[in-house]
């Protein structure tokens, strides 16, 4: 093969190709007119890499069923390419310790349309071979919409209910806000839009951390408490392990009127899936209505899109 590499020995490569075409015609494997058309094709002058669309997902599918000749997926190839490019651009010229992952799903059908496990599928300093859509991380404040929705569903609060944002001692747990400020009595709507910590922890204390854990599991997520402990109020601010795929399931349920979605990468529905109710459709709508008016960071567009960010302990992870 080295002696016939078309980028190094084009004459030898072309002669070898022509011999193969002649043998295929001789043995009845290729019509004469198709062989003549193939003979007019130019010999490649450079190496072309194999396409690597959604390589992390391809790895998972192959590992799950290594004998399958091909795997059907729900991915939109054009969308996948665009988001892989977006991921690469997001980390370009930044620290080689920074990594990114993206999931795009249709909450109506449950189909995952794009899944990007890293900025590049390479063995670099960012450990690009690791599929970050499946990595266990702290979700930061991204669980707050679920907390508020569950509180609305149980009649503990309403978007216009006034709630206290002041220094509070929750049995020796004393959370503070990201900016270190306290705003006193404010509407629940504002508390969620500003992602304030004290109101979210107060509501979680009122209904119990187990309710949030149960809602996550009903959505199809698999939350993990560090060291296998009992869930406490810290889970309101990210003290629980979730994957990006888990979080996508929870947000899909919010978008799907409070009902769990069969989020999947294969066209066939998941046989074991049950469409469990996470919260009433009214509560889910109220959360979305609040998040549609959340202030955007500078330069971020998307009016009318329900939007939430989160930051984990020590600013290790940022979510949108």
């Amino acid at each position: 093969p080295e002696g016939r590499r078309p980028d190094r020995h084009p004459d030898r490569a072309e002669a070898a190709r022509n011999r193969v075409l002649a043998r295929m015609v001789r043995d009845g494997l290729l019509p004469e007119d198709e062989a003549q058309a193939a003979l007019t094709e130019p010999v490649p002058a450079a190496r072309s890499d194999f396409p690597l669309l959604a390589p992390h997902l391809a790895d998972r599918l192959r590992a799950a069923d290594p004998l399958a000749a091909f795997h059907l997926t729900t991915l939109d190839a054009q969308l996948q390419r665009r988001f892989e490019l977006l991921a690469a651009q997001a980390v370009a010229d930044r620290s080689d310790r920074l990594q990114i992952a993206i999931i795009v799903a249709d909450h109506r059908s449950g189909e995952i349309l794009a899944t990007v496990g890293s900025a590049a599928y390479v063995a670099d300093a960012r450990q690009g071979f690791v599929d970050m859509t499946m990595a266990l991380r702290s979700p930061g404040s991204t669980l707050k919409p679920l907390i508020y929705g569950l509180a609305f569903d149980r009649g503990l609060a309403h978007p216009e209910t006034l709630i206290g944002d002041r220094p509070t001692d929750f049995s020796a747990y004393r959370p503070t806000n990201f900016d270190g400020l306290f705003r006193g009595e404010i509407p629940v709507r504002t508390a969620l839009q500003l992602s304030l910590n004290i109101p979210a922890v107060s509501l979680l204390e009122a209904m119990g951390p187990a309710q949030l854990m149960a809602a996550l599991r009903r959505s199809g997520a698999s939350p993990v408490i560090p060291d296998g402990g009992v869930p406490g109020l810290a889970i309101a601010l990210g003290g629980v392990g979730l994957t990006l795929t888990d979080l996508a399931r929870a947000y899909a349920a919010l978008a799907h009127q409070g009902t769990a979605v069969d989020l999947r990468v294969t066209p066939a529905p998941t046989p074991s899936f049950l469409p469990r109710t996470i919260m009433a459709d009214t509560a889910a709508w109220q959360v979305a209505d609040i998040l549609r008016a959340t202030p955007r960071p500078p330069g971020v567009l998307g009016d009318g899109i329900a939007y939430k960010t989160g930051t984990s302990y020590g600013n290790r992870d940022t979510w949108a």
Side-chain angles (χ1 to χ4, degrees), residues 193 285 287-296 302-307:
Q193 289 173 344
W285 181 90
V287 170
D289 183 60
I290 292 171
L291 295 181
R292 272 193 290 268
T294 298
R296 268 56 174 163
D303 289 339
I305 296 175
Y307 181 87

Side-chain angles (χ1 to χ4, degrees), residues 142-259:
T142 56
L143 295 185
K144 287 176 182 173
L146 206 57
I147 294 172
Y148 283 91
L150 294 171
F152 297 160
D153 194 34
R154 286 158 174 74
L156 297 174
H158 180 275
E160 308 310 326
T161 300
L162 291 179
I163 194 167
D165 179 42
R166 59 178 65 88
T168 306
D169 187 325
F170 299 95
S171 300
Y173 178 50
R174 303 180 184 90
T176 59
N177 289 319
F178 189 79
D179 58 8
L181 303 177
F182 298 96
R183 291 159 178 81
E185 295 286 326
I186 56 172
V188 162
R189 176 184 298 275
T190 304
L192 176 53
Q193 289 173 344
L194 297 180
S195 196
L196 301 179
N197 290 341
I198 310 302
V201 174
S202 298
L203 288 175
L204 186 62
E205 182 188 43
M207 66 182 172
Q211 297 295 325
L212 177 58
M213 296 291 285
L216 285 169
R217 293 189 180 102
R218 288 199 303 275
S219 74
S222 301
V224 176
I225 298 297
D227 302 321
V230 177
L233 296 180
I235 65 175
L237 309 182
V240 60
L242 283 176
T243 67
L244 176 58
T245 303
D246 285 333
L247 202 59
R249 294 184 192 282
Y251 272 73
L254 281 173
H256 199 237
Q257 300 180 326
T259 304

Side-chain angles (χ1 to χ4, degrees), residues 101 113 120 124 198 304:
L113 304 178
D124 56 6
I198 310 302

Side-chain angles (χ1 to χ4, degrees), residues 123-138:
D124 56 6
R126 295 188 173 101
Q127 301 184 34
F129 288 144
V130 176
D131 186 353
M132 287 291 293
T133 68
M134 305 299 290
L136 209 59
R137 313 297 290 184
S138 164

